[in-house]
Amino acid sequence: MHTVIRGLVESFSKNFSLDQSYDLAKQFEFFVNYLLVAPKTSDIHLQPVEITTGDDDASLDGIAILIDGELVTSVEMAEDMLQSSRRQLEVKIILTQIKSGEAFEKKEITNFMSGVINFLEQDSCYPEGDFNAINHRILFYILANVRSIKNNLPDIEVYYATSGIYRETRELKGALNLIDKKIKEKTYFHSIKVEAIDRQKIIELHDNLSKDFTSRIRVEELFAIPATEKIPQSYLAMVKAKDYVNEILTNKEEGNSSLRLNIFDENIRSYLGENVDVNQNIQGSLSNSNNKSIFSVLNNGITIIAPNIAFSPSEKTIELTNYQIINGCQTSNVLFDNKDLLTDDVRIIVKFVSTKDNETINTIISSTNSQSHIDENAFLSLKDKAKLVQRYFVTMESKNTDENKIYFERRKNEFRNIVSLSSKIFDLRTLVQAYNAMFLNEPSNSSRYVKKIFEDKELFLEDDDESYYYVATFCLYKVNVMINSKKFKYGLLKWHFLYIFKFLALNKTNNFERNSSKANKNSEELMKILKDKIKFEKTINEFNSIVEKLPLPTIDIIKRQKYAHDLFSETQKFLKEK
């Protein structure tokens, strides 16, 4: 393996605490799968083991099924997402085969093709491990519910990767084209992408994950807003809608065809779909030739924030780095979906704001979204309690060794240039999943579609104890380390472990209420166990023995609250006998 690639793989394995028993070839599979899937998902805590097949899965090394940018891990999760959404959701299937050697061989690509086609068969002919079998069921559930999917069909991407240099020959091109042809014959997919990934592309994918993203757009009219201490630059500009779509919205790394999803991470409300009234009205204005020239008057405009903005008077361009669209998600999506209707006389008003101050960003988000009805949970990261939780993390960070430091990223990319190990950074969504499993006692919901938690639970209440949010997240961090190092036997039950852990660690099943007067004392005791390797591994072994008292659960059973109740009952018996 090339020296540079080997170095990147070893660094990646260290970052994710991958077990040293994994040979270099397997580590390379984890690495490349992660590089291919991570840019396409909204989950900053994607784990490489979640998308990489096991040794008992034939012909495929990686499978990822994404719905609306979220990794789907069960049929029930797919059902929750597709049935609860008011709009059609984008679905993407990613299949890979990854060879650590440097050769691209027709025979190996042909073998890969047989694995791909077998996976796309309703009745699989090849041996399947659990990972393949679960994803196979998810795929065919999706194909049975295409009316809930954007374009009424999913997209598929197929990658064959090695650590060498790809030099196209007629044989290799023909082998890849044959995969494309065979997939087309299935008529399952809206778009099909088949690509060879070589050393140069792998390095490019790696660099793109960590580098800043920048866009430059030409403005037609510009008004500079006076600077303040915390907002050094801001402009009100008129731009062509075509330029906005091409330069700001389009993910150019994806071949000028896909919407850049990460620029909406700070937007309070996600895209509602083309069928809601407000978006039908926007589309109607674009379709009406009389309204195109006055679109900038009819539309409320867009607000973009960025830590760095550079205006060039001579070129009349604005350059943005690591920007976020905090208001105008509906307009942006409708413009992107209807880009063929955009002519030079369609213009929009954009407010560009440069600030690095988090409180100022919060105020802008809250103010620009206050005129429309938005669910209160959408403002969770702006709550005072969420800020206090983050301060608690900062306080604990100063008390911990480097090994035990974790970070709560209340705002997107807060720690981008500070913390090198992404496995130590936890966003709002992941923190809530951990807290919900451990202290709201609903691990089944944490295993399911995470938006259910936001819909069903009140979070960051004034009397919540901050320490519980921290302990739950720290426990999740420790579990992830154990899973990646092959020291956690039941990886699919990690949320259930968080739920049961507190009972096993403190040898009791009461006084864990979210606002309990004993919360601080409980947290201190739990942290002692979590930081003690021997004691922590003991609780894992105890958890395993409790799990084994019950029939081994299927994925569907794991998602049901009854299984959590059964585990709790067995835990009570275990503690009585202890």
Side-chain angles (χ1 to χ4, degrees):
M1 185 179 291
H2 190 271
T3 302
V4 172
I5 296 293
R6 179 187 288 267
L8 294 177
V9 171
E10 290 173 350
S11 176
F12 174 84
S13 297
K14 181 181 178 181
N15 183 4
F16 282 95
S17 303
L18 294 178
D19 189 79
Q20 292 182 352
S21 68
Y22 288 124
D23 61 20
L24 189 62
K26 192 65 181 180
Q27 292 178 47
F28 185 62
E29 286 180 23
F30 287 132
F31 175 61
V32 177
N33 280 330
Y34 185 85
L35 294 183
L36 290 168
V37 176
K40 300 173 175 69
T41 176
S42 56
D43 184 2
I44 69 166
H45 284 287
L46 178 73
Q47 297 292 316
V49 295
E50 295 177 317
I51 54 175
T52 303
T53 61
D55 295 334
D56 52 355
D57 291 310
S59 299
L60 298 178
D61 292 328
I63 305 172
I65 299 178
L66 307 177
I67 297 181
D68 205 26
E70 188 163 345
L71 181 69
V72 179
T73 56
S74 71
V75 171
E76 195 167 37
M77 183 176 177
E79 182 180 2
D80 283 343
M81 295 184 75
L82 294 178
Q83 300 305 322
S84 63
S85 178
R86 293 183 294 172
R87 62 184 175 92
Q88 290 184 313
L89 302 179
E90 182 177 352
V91 176
K92 190 183 295 291
I93 317 296
I94 301 172
L95 305 177
T96 71
Q97 188 169 85
I98 299 158
K99 302 292 184 182
S100 59
E102 298 198 356
F104 283 87
E105 297 178 358
K106 178 186 174 184
K107 178 183 175 182
E108 294 295 338
I109 295 175
T110 302
N111 288 339
F112 175 42
M113 179 182 70
S114 68
V116 170
I117 301 307
N118 178 70
F119 182 74
L120 301 181
E121 294 287 351
Q122 183 106 37
D123 299 313
S124 176
C125 298
Y126 289 2
E128 280 189 324
D130 289 342
F131 181 81
N132 259 33
I134 291 166
N135 281 286
H136 190 261
R137 289 198 295 273
I138 295 169
L139 171 65
F140 280 91
Y141 173 82
I142 288 169
L143 292 174
N145 291 272
V146 292
R147 282 186 294 182
S148 300
I149 298 172
K150 186 176 181 181
N151 300 313
N152 295 315
L153 286 173
D155 299 329
I156 187 169
E157 297 180 2
V158 176
Y159 299 101
Y160 181 87
T162 83
S163 64
I165 298 296
Y166 177 69
R167 296 179 176 87
E168 187 172 89
T169 64
R170 289 181 62 187
E171 270 198 342
L172 294 178
K173 183 178 180 182
L176 294 171
N177 286 343
L178 187 57
I179 297 176
D180 185 277
K181 179 184 176 184
K182 292 292 185 182
I183 295 174
K184 278 180 179 155
E185 289 172 357
K186 290 290 180 186
T187 67
Y188 290 165
F189 303 102
H190 172 255
S191 71
I192 300 168
K193 180 179 182 181
V194 180
E195 185 178 347
I197 302 293
D198 68 356
R199 180 195 308 158
Q200 185 175 346
K201 183 66 175 179
I202 289 169
I203 293 172
E204 180 185 324
L205 288 167
H206 173 269
D207 292 346
N208 284 341
L209 267 185
S210 56
K211 76 176 184 181
D212 295 336
F213 62 90
T214 301
S215 293
R216 179 181 297 172
I217 186 170
R218 180 174 176 78
V219 300
E220 294 198 337
E221 301 292 341
L222 185 80
F223 175 76
I225 300 171
T228 67
E229 179 184 353
K230 294 180 179 178
I231 306 178
Q233 284 179 287
S234 56
Y235 303 96
L236 195 63
M238 179 177 287
V239 304
K240 288 183 179 179
K242 281 200 302 188
D243 292 344
Y244 176 73
V245 168
N246 293 335
E247 304 303 330
I248 301 294
L249 299 182
T250 299
N251 185 354
K252 296 183 178 179
E253 285 76 24
E254 289 292 310
N256 287 326
S257 60
S258 66
L259 180 67
R260 188 190 287 273
L261 296 176
N262 63 339
I263 59 177
F264 297 102
D265 288 334
E266 297 291 354
N267 203 286
I268 291 296
R269 182 163 58 185
S270 61
Y271 181 45
L272 299 176
E274 60 185 17
N275 294 324
V276 299
D277 289 345
V278 63
N279 292 338
Q280 285 184 339
N281 290 338
I282 297 172
Q283 185 176 7
S285 296
L286 295 174
S287 303
N288 186 328
S289 58
N290 294 325
N291 288 341
K292 284 188 175 185
S293 61
I294 59 170
F295 185 81
S296 59
V297 177
L298 300 175
N299 187 265
N300 288 333
I302 289 154
T303 303
I304 301 177
I305 57 172
N308 298 299
I309 291 178
F311 172 61
S312 169
S314 59
E315 298 179 353
K316 291 197 74 174
T317 59
I318 286 181
E319 185 173 274
L320 307 164
T321 302
N322 298 336
Y323 54 92
Q324 286 287 305
I325 297 171
I326 61 164
N327 187 257
C329 176
Q330 307 309 312
T331 297
S332 297
N333 276 270
V334 175
L335 288 174
F336 187 86
D337 287 344
N338 293 275
K339 51 191 166 190
D340 292 341
L341 297 177
L342 303 181
T343 54
D344 284 340
D345 58 345
V346 181
R347 298 173 175 83
I348 53 172
I349 302 296
V350 183
K351 187 187 296 180
F352 298 98
V353 181
S354 173
T355 181
K356 298 178 182 178
D357 182 71
N358 280 334
E359 292 310 310
T360 300
I361 294 171
N362 289 342
T363 302
I364 295 170
I365 291 173
S366 182
S367 298
T368 54
N369 287 282
S370 62
Q371 296 177 352
S372 54
H373 174 70
I374 297 174
D375 191 289
E376 184 65 24
N377 281 332
F379 292 95
L380 276 179
S381 67
L382 310 184
K383 280 190 168 187
D384 288 340
K385 178 59 68 173
K387 299 172 188 175
L388 283 173
V389 169
Q390 188 177 52
R391 289 183 67 177
Y392 188 92
F393 271 68
V394 172
T395 302
M396 294 301 292
E397 177 201 344
S398 64
K399 297 179 179 180
N400 282 335
T401 61
D402 287 345
E403 178 189 359
N404 289 322
K405 287 180 180 179
I406 60 171
Y407 304 84
F408 170 32
E409 191 173 67
R410 189 169 59 85
R411 299 197 54 77
K412 181 75 173 177
N413 289 331
E414 279 185 290
F415 299 102
R416 180 187 181 95
N417 298 315
I418 301 172
V419 183
S420 60
L421 298 179
S422 60
S423 58
K424 289 177 170 285
I425 302 173
F426 295 84
D427 62 0
L428 180 77
R429 155 195 159 135
T430 313
L431 175 138
V432 165
Q433 277 181 288
Y435 179 75
N436 178 72
M438 183 175 264
F439 293 109
L440 299 187
N441 301 321
E442 291 196 349
S444 55
N445 267 355
S446 292
S447 303
R448 290 164 64 100
Y449 185 28
V450 69
K451 287 185 180 177
K452 284 280 186 185
I453 304 172
F454 291 95
E455 291 170 2
D456 298 342
K457 293 292 175 187
E458 290 188 275
L459 300 161
F460 297 108
L461 300 181
E462 285 305 310
D463 59 350
D464 283 352
D465 196 287
E466 295 89 354
S467 67
Y468 275 175
Y469 286 92
Y470 178 83
V471 170
T473 308
F474 190 85
C475 187
L476 176 62
Y477 166 65
K478 288 294 186 181
V479 170
N480 284 340
V481 169
M482 298 299 277
I483 290 172
N484 289 331
S485 59
K486 295 201 293 190
K487 295 177 182 176
F488 193 87
K489 187 175 181 181
Y490 299 107
L492 291 174
L493 293 176
K494 70 177 180 180
W495 303 113
H496 291 78
F497 175 77
L498 265 66
Y499 168 51
I500 297 297
F501 167 74
K502 61 185 182 291
F503 306 137
L504 297 176
L506 301 191
N507 200 30
K508 66 177 185 178
T509 58
N510 60 346
N511 294 321
F512 288 107
E513 294 80 9
R514 60 197 296 179
N515 57 356
S516 170
S517 59
K518 298 183 182 296
N520 258 317
K521 183 178 179 182
N522 286 341
S523 294
E524 288 176 7
E525 295 302 315
L526 290 170
M527 286 300 295
K528 288 178 184 177
I529 304 293
L530 287 165
K531 290 181 179 180
D532 187 314
K533 183 179 178 182
I534 294 174
K535 290 181 179 178
F536 182 55
E537 289 187 2
K538 180 186 175 186
T539 63
I540 292 175
N541 292 331
E542 291 175 343
F543 174 75
N544 290 345
S545 69
I546 291 169
V547 168
E548 288 160 7
K549 295 283 186 182
L550 298 168
L552 193 64
T554 63
I555 291 291
D556 288 340
I557 288 175
I558 289 171
K559 311 294 181 182
R560 297 171 190 165
Q561 191 64 11
K562 182 181 183 303
Y563 182 71
H565 290 156
D566 292 344
L567 273 180
F568 179 69
S569 296
E570 290 297 330
T571 302
Q572 287 179 307
K573 293 177 187 175
F574 177 85
L575 292 176
K576 283 180 182 178
E577 297 168 0
K578 197 172 177 181

